[in-house]
């Protein structure tokens, strides 16, 4: 049994990550995340950066603040709210040392698979979806400023 390797092509921002280094402006001492009112990396009860960031985006941009997943229709309402965001998180690097991507579009070739890519069609799709505006709104809601100047196509690997 071996390790799975995936290729990820995504349009958005590479935010980096704690163990591999954050790719954000205004980092704290020793390259730590800047102070965020929605996430405390020292909170041991926290579900982690990605879960906290997703909850922040759902609340701030989609008005979804429910927490009781047992409520009737919860997952349908959550899915609708996520679709309204027009952005999502993905991870690259590895499961043990994730790097975080905030993306508007992503495709993954899993475990040695190969996929044809029509970059012009993908770019037209993100342009039509107003992806740049949605990504900027998400970054504003999170209070994050990537070192990457603008959203762009990123080719990443995932080993897990």
């Amino acid at each position: 049994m071996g390790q799975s390797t995936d290729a990820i092509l995504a349009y958005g921002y590479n935010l980096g990550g704690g163990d591999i280094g954050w790719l954000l402006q205004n980092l704290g001492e020793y390259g730590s995340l800047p102070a965020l009112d929605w996430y405390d990396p020292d909170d041991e009860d926290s579900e982690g950066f990605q879960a906290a960031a997703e909850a922040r985006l759902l609340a701030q941009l989609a008005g979804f603040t429910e927490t009781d997943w047992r409520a009737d229709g919860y997952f349908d309402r959550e899915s609708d709210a996520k679709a309204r965001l027009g952005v999502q998180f993905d991870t690259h690097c590895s499961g043990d040392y994730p790097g975080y991507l905030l993306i508007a579009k992503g495709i993954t070739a899993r475990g040695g698979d190969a996929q044809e890519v029509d970059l012009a069609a993908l770019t037209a799709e993100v342009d039509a979806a107003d992806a740049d505006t949605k990504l900027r709104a998400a970054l504003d809601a999170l209070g994050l400023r990537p070192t990457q100047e603008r959203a762009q196509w990123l080719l990443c690997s995932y080993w897990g």
Side-chain angles (χ1 to χ4, degrees):
M1 202 175 226
Q3 291 289 331
S4 169
T5 57
D6 297 338
I8 302 164
L9 179 64
Y11 184 81
Y13 291 91
N14 181 4
L15 305 178
D19 290 332
I20 62 172
W22 290 102
L23 300 175
L24 301 169
Q25 298 176 25
N26 305 317
L27 292 176
E29 190 175 13
Y30 309 112
S32 62
L33 279 171
L36 302 168
D37 63 355
W38 53 267
Y39 177 65
D40 178 1
D42 297 324
D43 180 0
E44 293 181 14
D45 294 329
S46 172
E47 291 185 47
F49 174 80
Q50 184 173 332
E54 288 172 346
R56 172 71 170 207
L57 292 180
L58 286 170
Q60 294 287 312
L61 301 179
F64 183 81
T65 58
E66 293 182 52
T67 57
D68 185 3
W69 56 269
R70 293 170 298 216
D72 248 3
Y74 171 88
F75 292 107
D76 290 335
R77 291 187 297 279
E78 179 189 48
S79 179
D80 290 344
K82 285 181 177 181
R84 288 193 306 274
L85 290 176
V87 300
Q88 65 186 36
F89 279 89
D90 201 350
T91 56
H92 67 99
C93 196
S94 75
D96 292 334
Y97 301 100
Y100 299 98
L101 304 171
L102 177 65
I103 64 172
K105 178 70 178 176
I107 56 175
T108 301
R110 302 207 183 276
D113 192 15
Q115 293 185 19
E116 291 182 14
V117 175
D118 183 341
L119 197 53
L122 289 171
T123 299
E125 185 180 332
V126 298
D127 289 346
D130 201 16
D132 289 334
T133 300
K134 291 174 182 172
L135 286 162
R136 280 191 301 274
L139 289 170
D140 288 344
L142 296 170
L144 298 176
R145 298 288 165 258
T147 56
Q148 186 181 319
E149 289 184 33
R150 60 178 176 73
Q152 56 193 5
W153 287 104
L154 305 165
L155 181 60
C156 310
S157 65
Y158 183 85
W159 181 69

